[in-house]
Amino acid sequence: MADSYNSQYYNLQESAQAQQEFDNAQANMETAEEEVYTTTSNMVCGSGIPVPPQSPQGASSPCEALAYIPEGSSEEASVKQLEDLEDPLYLLHNAKNVKVYDLVDFLLTKYQMNAFTTKAEMLESIGREYDEYYPLIFSEASECMKLVFGLDIVEVDPSVHSYNLVTALGITYDGMLTDVQGMPKTGILIVVLGIIFMRGNFVSEEIIWEMLNNIRLHGGTDPYLHKDPRKLISEEFVQEGYLEYRQVPNSDPPSHGFVWGPRAFAETTKMKVLEFFASINKTHPRAYPLKYAEALRDEIDRAKAWIFQRLFQYQ
């Protein structure tokens, strides 16, 4: 009992500190709009969802590199590109990206099978001759799995280096419960939740559709999703309780948009979403003071609700 109350008082103390940080962050209000716009643009462009090939030389991240590797035999698909290049460092870089693709493809298969994997299996999938580069390839493949598909690679048994794949940020949805085709759709859900949070907790459907165009997910059935992206967001995400579709008050003609749904609030937090997208930009959540302050406020409210609930149970 004493430990429980000490924990509650500690949480209250943390809440007070967080409240002070929240108050300090209000001084940054005048830069909020520019900050939100920049971050949202980076989120959309850096989400890593595969896009049609453009310029391989411009690929600056492992997720972007995936976009330039065609489906099918990854070794054969890259031969022609490699033959036309003379820079040995570029050859090595592109070969490494091919192996990142191979490992991502292997891990997706394991996820679809709901199966564990091991370091030995992953090495086998990319080729034992790449053992020296395995840490780098594994690191970049892990980043792609998280940013593109919304999946975390969790080590289960360090003694044998066994791993499992789980949906990120505590989200329980992957879009594959009734449709085993296509890829996990948690990544695009996280992107939508993040855009809503970063754009003031309400986003018009026009902005969401523009985001889909930016990441090459147009209307109609998409081969990546095996669904119509617009229906995925406006119907499935809404039916699953992650989004709510609302009319803009007093809009004429009527316009609509999206807010977080109850399942989103129940399974994840604004802070987790902010941390996720800060990682995309290789920075810290504090780099976005207004959004960090809002996420802290959310943490404070959650801590208070938990404490009051526990106190009520002991009465």
Side-chain angles (χ1 to χ4, degrees):
M1 178 73 72
D3 290 342
S4 176
Y5 280 110
N6 287 338
S7 176
Q8 294 166 6
Y9 290 135
Y10 178 74
N11 284 332
L12 281 172
Q13 191 173 25
E14 275 196 332
S15 297
Q17 182 180 356
Q19 178 68 57
Q20 182 62 45
E21 291 191 48
F22 174 84
D23 294 337
N24 292 339
Q26 298 302 310
N28 298 283
M29 287 287 290
E30 66 227 21
T31 62
E33 285 301 320
E34 180 180 356
E35 162 203 323
V36 168
Y37 177 80
T38 302
T39 303
T40 303
S41 299
N42 290 339
M43 284 160 46
V44 169
C45 297
S47 62
I49 293 176
V51 299
Q54 296 174 5
S55 171
Q57 292 88 340
S60 59
S61 74
C63 293
E64 289 174 330
L66 285 179
Y68 307 120
I69 303 175
E71 295 182 358
S73 174
S74 55
E75 293 284 3
E76 295 176 2
S78 61
V79 167
K80 178 119 175 46
Q81 292 177 343
L82 296 178
E83 287 176 344
D84 295 335
L85 298 170
E86 297 179 357
D87 183 353
L89 291 179
Y90 180 79
L91 292 175
L92 176 62
H93 174 76
N94 204 53
K96 180 197 68 178
N97 284 334
V98 169
K99 291 304 172 181
V100 171
Y101 175 89
D102 287 343
L103 184 52
V104 167
D105 185 60
F106 171 79
L107 291 170
L108 283 172
T109 301
K110 284 291 185 178
Y111 180 76
Q112 290 167 339
M113 296 169 58
N114 194 27
F116 291 88
T117 190
T118 63
K119 178 181 178 180
E121 289 180 333
M122 288 187 278
L123 270 172
E124 202 67 37
S125 74
I126 63 175
R128 289 282 176 176
E129 65 273 22
Y130 284 87
D131 180 79
E132 180 182 355
Y133 302 101
Y134 169 78
L136 179 59
I137 293 172
F138 175 76
S139 174
E140 295 194 354
S142 299
E143 182 180 0
C144 287
M145 293 298 291
K146 184 170 185 176
L147 300 186
V148 180
F149 305 109
L151 299 176
D152 282 327
I153 303 176
V154 179
E155 189 169 27
V156 178
D157 188 345
S159 64
V160 296
H161 300 290
S162 63
Y163 300 86
N164 193 23
L165 289 105
V166 298
T167 50
L169 308 191
I171 292 174
T172 60
Y173 165 93
D174 66 3
M176 300 178 66
L177 297 178
T178 58
D179 179 11
V180 296
Q181 290 184 313
M183 302 298 181
K185 301 166 184 65
T186 314
I188 190 171
L189 172 59
I190 293 174
V191 169
V192 173
L193 292 175
I195 290 175
I196 292 172
F197 169 50
M198 299 302 290
R199 295 293 293 263
N201 300 304
F202 177 90
V203 171
S204 69
E205 56 185 340
E206 287 78 16
I207 290 177
I208 296 296
W209 308 151
E210 180 182 354
M211 178 270 293
L212 291 179
N213 287 332
N214 289 342
I215 58 178
R216 311 307 200 273
L217 291 178
H218 308 286
T221 301
D222 186 85
Y224 163 71
L225 297 172
H226 284 265
K227 287 180 178 290
D228 183 332
R230 293 196 178 196
K231 287 187 176 181
L232 176 68
I233 294 173
S234 62
E235 295 181 10
E236 187 165 333
F237 289 173
V238 172
Q239 291 170 359
E240 291 288 337
Y242 287 105
L243 300 178
E244 289 186 359
Y245 186 65
R246 294 183 179 178
Q247 181 176 336
V248 178
N250 303 319
S251 58
D252 186 20
S255 59
H256 297 78
F258 298 95
V259 298
W260 280 28
R263 188 171 172 185
F265 284 107
E267 293 183 355
T268 192
T269 67
K270 293 178 178 180
M271 186 62 77
K272 288 180 180 178
V273 170
L274 181 61
E275 289 170 348
F276 182 91
F277 285 107
S279 71
I280 291 178
N281 293 326
K282 308 299 182 185
T283 187
H284 189 277
R286 292 176 187 267
Y288 312 105
L290 183 66
K291 293 290 119 181
Y292 183 71
E294 182 179 342
L296 277 176
R297 168 66 70 185
D298 182 63
E299 296 292 305
I300 292 170
D301 292 341
R302 288 172 181 266
K304 288 179 178 178
W306 180 86
I307 291 170
F308 290 145
Q309 183 181 19
R310 295 298 296 271
L311 289 174
F312 180 78
Q313 290 177 349
Y314 286 113
Q315 289 181 353

